[in-house]
Amino acid sequence: MNLTEKRNIPISLPMTGIEEWEATKEPLLSGWITSGPKVREFEKIFAERHQVKHALAVTSATTALHLALVALGIGPGDEVIVPAFTWVSTANVVLYCGAKVVFADVDPVTFNIDPSDLKKRITSKTKAIIPVHLFGLCADMDEIKKIAGAIPLVEDGACAAGAGYKGVPAGALGTIGCFSFHPRKSITTGEGGMITTNDDRLADLMGMLRNHGASISEEQRHHGPRPYILPDFNLMGFNYRMTDLQGAVGVVQLKKLDQYIDEREIWAAYYKKELASVEWLRTPSFGHDYKHGWQSFACFVDESKAPFSRNEIMEKLQEMGISTRPGTHAVHMLNFYKETYQIKPSDFPGAQAANDYSMAIPLHNRMSREDYEYVVAAIKAL
């Protein structure tokens, strides 16, 4: 591979095209643009793919998580356990409910919540646990369930559409599952999210909560025989509805999900094989029980063996046209949480290490073989 011919390889690009564009014509021409038949179709096929009874489309994974906690009755005086290494919204939604965030450390190998540390964080005030399936790798849900007992588990599967654990899809492993369709995810609707559950009561409740608390949907109201009747509102809700424009794109994207993951699986295996000789870079490692969703290919830089620091390596790769990112951030190290809870970085050493030494390299469905070869050659040349 000739490294003198500089390439431009983004960390991620959504795989969208003519089919997604054409799918938006139907809602645009019909005039039904808000949440309606296309959202219902998207929900139906998402529920089928993830082996759950109910799927409810919303505006983002953040609003999905918020609705999940509200439906579970989380409020002031309650505690919700969240991994210390995750996107900030996983913790923020707890505060939206007036509850307390309790952080648990993560395993720096899988980047997921460490069950042994989780066990130490549970108190009589713990009313929910949010295991995160980070980068598309499911958390160790069997062990988490043993520890949690009757405590509800809200899966943050923002990165995990199509992922699985012991043959069960993400989103069907806990009480409620929450997904993201942000452009950096495997499939996208621009912004957007999905809630999954097998609990009929929670599904009904979250369906009302996402629509201002209305007793019936907008579609039911507008197509009903009595136009003078407005819905009743028996609870306070939110406007977290997905649009039919997004739903139409989601239907097309979801039908390609397994193809996208299969392609990423091939190139993830290529990375693991070709980078195995780079002693300072640890590539993703997990057992046979896991079906990885490969939202990201997050590595760990061992600075004691590396030619440069993690940040210098990222800068050098950027100069060569290769975009990288830290895996995500340690939430307990962000100023707001650090100051609110008086936490030190060293209080969660696994998360601190993941924060300082993780590095995601490009893995997405718009990359060519030459792109992957270039990334590998550039890393080996450092």
Side-chain angles (χ1 to χ4, degrees):
M1 173 58 67
N2 183 4
L3 293 175
T4 60
E5 296 180 8
K6 182 178 174 180
R7 303 180 79 86
N8 178 23
I9 308 175
I11 186 68
S12 180
L13 276 178
M15 189 65 170
T16 52
I18 190 70
E19 289 179 279
E20 287 78 8
W21 178 70
E22 290 180 342
T24 63
K25 290 181 181 179
E26 186 176 340
L28 284 171
L29 294 176
S30 73
W32 195 276
I33 297 174
T34 187
S35 188
K38 283 299 175 182
V39 167
R40 284 205 322 275
E41 182 182 356
F42 186 28
E43 291 171 334
K44 181 178 182 294
I45 63 176
F46 195 92
E48 291 170 351
R49 170 60 184 81
H50 291 81
Q51 299 176 23
V52 291
K53 290 172 67 177
H54 306 282
L56 298 95
V58 291
T59 54
S60 67
T62 303
T63 54
L65 288 164
H66 184 206
L67 286 184
L69 296 185
V70 172
L72 291 171
I74 304 300
D78 295 336
E79 295 178 353
V80 178
I81 300 177
V82 171
F85 186 64
T86 182
W87 188 246
V88 67
S89 58
T90 314
N92 284 350
V93 295
V94 179
L95 299 186
Y96 296 168
C97 297
K100 179 183 178 182
V101 178
V102 175
F103 291 109
D105 208 358
V106 300
D107 179 345
V109 174
T110 64
F111 299 120
N112 282 331
I113 196 166
D114 181 350
S116 62
D117 194 67
L118 167 64
K119 193 172 185 178
K120 302 173 188 175
R121 309 293 173 179
I122 294 175
T123 72
S124 60
K125 296 181 179 180
T126 305
K127 295 299 185 285
I129 299 168
I130 307 181
V132 179
H133 305 322
L134 204 55
F135 311 131
L137 178 65
C138 289
D140 186 352
M141 293 300 289
D142 277 359
E143 192 61 29
I144 291 168
K145 286 178 182 178
K146 288 178 188 175
I147 294 166
I151 299 169
L153 301 178
V154 177
E155 298 172 68
D156 183 338
C159 301
Y165 173 76
K166 295 187 175 180
V168 180
L173 294 162
T175 313
I176 300 171
C178 302
F179 296 85
S180 171
F181 305 123
H182 181 274
R184 271 205 68 186
K185 305 307 187 283
S186 300
I187 58 172
T188 185
T189 58
E191 291 285 354
M194 191 74 77
I195 309 171
T196 57
T197 187
N198 286 312
D199 188 302
D200 296 339
R201 183 190 68 82
L202 288 174
D204 288 343
L205 180 55
M206 291 186 292
M208 288 186 285
L209 285 168
R210 70 172 167 175
N211 185 29
H212 303 283
S215 56
I216 59 172
S217 72
E218 294 296 293
E219 191 180 8
Q220 289 172 306
R221 182 166 69 86
H222 282 286
H223 291 318
R226 293 176 290 178
Y228 51 85
I229 293 182
L230 291 174
D232 205 346
F233 294 84
N234 299 312
L235 47 83
M236 185 195 75
F238 312 90
N239 184 3
Y240 287 168
R241 295 168 300 184
M242 176 180 279
T243 70
D244 255 29
L245 290 171
Q246 293 170 296
V249 172
V251 168
V252 175
Q253 284 273 289
L254 185 58
K255 291 176 181 178
K256 302 174 183 178
L257 173 61
D258 290 311
Q259 173 195 334
Y260 288 170
I261 293 176
D262 288 347
E263 290 174 4
R264 292 180 183 219
E265 174 74 42
I266 291 169
W267 291 111
Y270 172 82
Y271 270 155
K272 287 171 69 69
K273 178 184 176 183
E274 295 297 322
L275 296 173
S277 61
V278 181
E279 63 174 0
W280 52 266
L281 191 70
R282 188 180 70 222
T283 57
S285 178
F286 51 93
H288 296 295
D289 289 334
Y290 297 85
K291 166 66 175 175
H292 207 304
W294 294 116
Q295 181 266 339
S296 293
F297 193 88
C299 305
F300 190 94
V301 175
D302 183 347
E303 289 191 353
S304 69
K305 300 177 181 177
F308 311 100
S309 71
R310 191 275 309 263
N311 289 354
E312 289 172 321
I313 289 169
M314 294 175 71
E315 288 174 354
K316 290 180 182 298
L317 290 174
Q318 186 71 31
E319 290 169 2
M320 300 169 78
I322 299 169
S323 182
T324 62
R325 296 289 186 274
T328 186
H329 44 226
V331 184
H332 78 286
M333 294 172 64
L334 301 176
N335 282 337
F336 174 79
Y337 283 95
K338 184 169 59 176
E339 293 170 6
T340 298
Y341 291 113
Q342 296 297 298
I343 306 171
K344 300 190 297 293
S346 59
D347 288 343
F348 300 93
Q352 182 184 18
N355 182 89
D356 294 346
Y357 305 118
S358 64
M359 181 178 73
I361 61 177
L363 176 71
H364 56 84
N365 299 94
R366 286 189 183 271
M367 289 177 65
S368 66
R369 169 174 287 278
E370 289 75 19
D371 289 334
Y372 285 104
E373 291 174 348
Y374 184 84
V375 172
V376 168
I379 290 172
K380 288 182 174 179
L382 290 171

